[in-house]
Amino acid sequence: MTPFAYARATTPDEAVTMAKAPATMFLGGGTNLVDLMRERLAQPERLVDVSALPAAITESGDGTLMIGAAVRNSAVAEHPLVRSRYPMLARAILAGASAQIRNMATVGGNLLQRTRCTYFYDVKGSRCNKRDPGTGCDARDGFNRIHAVLGTSDACVATHPSDMCIALAALDAIVHIAGPQGHRTLPFTELHRLPGDRPDRDTVLAPGELVTAVELPPLPFAAHSTYRKVRDRSSYAFALVSVAAAVDMAGDRIGDVRIAFGGVAHKPWRALTAEAMLRGGPATAPAFLAAGKAEFADAQPLRDNAFKPALAARTLAAVLSALTTGDAA
């Protein structure tokens, strides 16, 4: 591991000021960053520890829930208001990693974790544009079972690894950011980037910017939501496909719906096409399956992951069927 300087911040503004030094990175729980440093995929000259920043979950008068970026993942999953109002978020967090990691990992760190593509981590043996821009992408012609089928580019087919982020994308979350130019907010769906020709850039954050909180707007029918993760084994595995969904029924038809997919793209994939097809339509298995297929109409599968579009459509249909028949627990 390369030597580095260390500083500890107690406020977001202090952290941003400390991060003005060159080659500085923020350290939360360290569950991903420390691994990246060990593998020399990240070599900061200075770490600013932000784990001591205010770690609270607060509710405003209109029902908005504000989750500090330093809150531990397990604390979010266990919070009574999250469990009752946003069950998809609690279930998504519990579907990820181990209890030990969830107890250490922070919300801000979860949002900014890097891909688990094996070619990205194979520093000595593989080409990776995300790791070394311009070198190529060995995943495209390699073993690509876990890789992306939506929003890919010739430069990268890696997937975003987070479960939490899929639920946040479906819930219309808002990201609060502090940086050298001041404070700003951003719709969650605009935080992460598709790869394009710069897959080394995972987010739209500018140098020195720090995620300070995630805002969950009041969405009454989010209480009727769930998260389902399909993976090769029941624990310690990243999603082949995952679905976060919430449904509001209007009689026997769908009044409103929120859907996001994981395991299929470089970023959490908000399923706007499927949502538009479903609103006002019948709550039937054929309708659910058709919406899923429409969302993946532009998918570009690789040799080993051609099963993903059909699997995603079937998983969506199963999730929506469970939600609309009261069988989603």
Side-chain angles (χ1 to χ4, degrees):
M1 188 180 288
T2 304
F4 57 88
Y6 172 88
R8 187 173 176 87
T10 56
T11 68
D13 289 341
E14 184 181 29
V16 169
T17 299
M18 291 177 174
K20 290 180 180 178
T24 297
M25 297 184 73
F26 295 115
L27 173 70
T31 56
N32 184 213
L33 178 56
V34 172
D35 285 342
L36 294 172
M37 292 172 67
R38 285 172 176 158
E39 299 294 333
R40 299 187 182 276
L41 291 166
Q43 300 186 56
E45 296 177 7
R46 177 184 174 94
L47 287 181
V48 174
D49 187 341
V50 293
S51 62
L53 267 56
I57 300 176
T58 57
E59 181 187 15
S60 63
D62 67 352
T64 297
L65 209 61
M66 192 73 73
I67 303 173
V71 175
R72 305 293 173 171
N73 291 359
S74 55
V76 179
E78 295 166 2
H79 196 280
L81 291 179
V82 173
R83 290 170 63 88
S84 61
R85 296 184 187 176
Y86 310 96
M88 71 158 73
L89 177 57
R91 292 178 180 179
I93 294 170
L94 293 175
S98 65
Q100 293 91 335
I101 290 176
R102 294 194 298 268
N103 287 340
M104 282 295 298
T106 63
V107 169
N110 188 290
L111 270 56
L112 303 179
Q113 63 182 298
R114 306 214 70 189
T115 185
R116 296 321 197 272
C117 173
T118 53
Y119 297 95
F120 173 70
Y121 279 88
D122 185 16
V123 175
K124 295 182 179 179
S126 300
R127 299 176 303 158
C128 175
N129 290 316
K130 181 175 280 294
R131 185 183 67 240
D132 299 308
T135 59
C137 174
D138 279 344
R140 292 197 66 90
D141 296 316
F143 182 67
N144 41 46
R145 175 176 168 79
I146 68 170
H147 289 76
V149 296
L150 291 173
T152 61
S153 71
D154 290 340
C156 184
V157 291
T159 53
H160 186 77
S162 173
D163 293 287
M164 177 192 292
C165 288
I166 310 309
L168 293 175
L171 291 169
D172 295 319
I174 298 169
V175 183
H176 289 246
I177 299 164
Q181 306 305 316
H183 293 249
R184 66 183 178 117
T185 59
L186 189 69
F188 188 85
T189 52
E190 296 179 14
L191 173 65
H192 299 95
R193 299 178 65 257
L194 291 176
D197 59 0
R198 288 298 308 273
D200 55 307
R201 294 181 56 204
D202 294 332
T203 72
V204 299
L205 294 179
E209 285 195 315
L210 170 70
V211 173
T212 59
V214 174
E215 176 185 339
L216 293 179
L219 183 67
F221 72 90
H224 192 53
S225 68
T226 194
Y227 180 80
R228 184 171 298 186
K229 180 177 182 178
V230 181
R231 45 190 165 175
D232 282 327
R233 57 185 187 274
S234 61
S235 62
Y236 311 124
F238 294 94
L240 292 172
V241 165
S242 64
V243 174
V247 176
D248 184 32
M249 295 297 293
D252 61 352
R253 304 184 81 79
I254 295 181
D256 206 351
V257 62
R258 298 289 188 278
I259 302 166
F261 286 99
V264 298
H266 195 258
K267 60 181 287 185
W269 190 268
R270 180 67 180 268
L272 298 177
T273 298
E275 290 180 5
M277 282 187 64
L278 290 166
R279 288 191 184 98
T284 63
F288 302 153
L289 189 61
K293 289 180 177 179
E295 188 65 45
F296 285 81
D298 294 329
Q300 295 183 309
L302 300 165
R303 183 194 62 222
D304 300 322
N305 67 6
F307 63 90
K308 280 197 175 189
L311 176 61
R314 292 196 305 271
T315 304
L316 176 63
V319 167
L320 294 178
S321 293
L323 284 171
T324 54
T325 60
D327 224 3

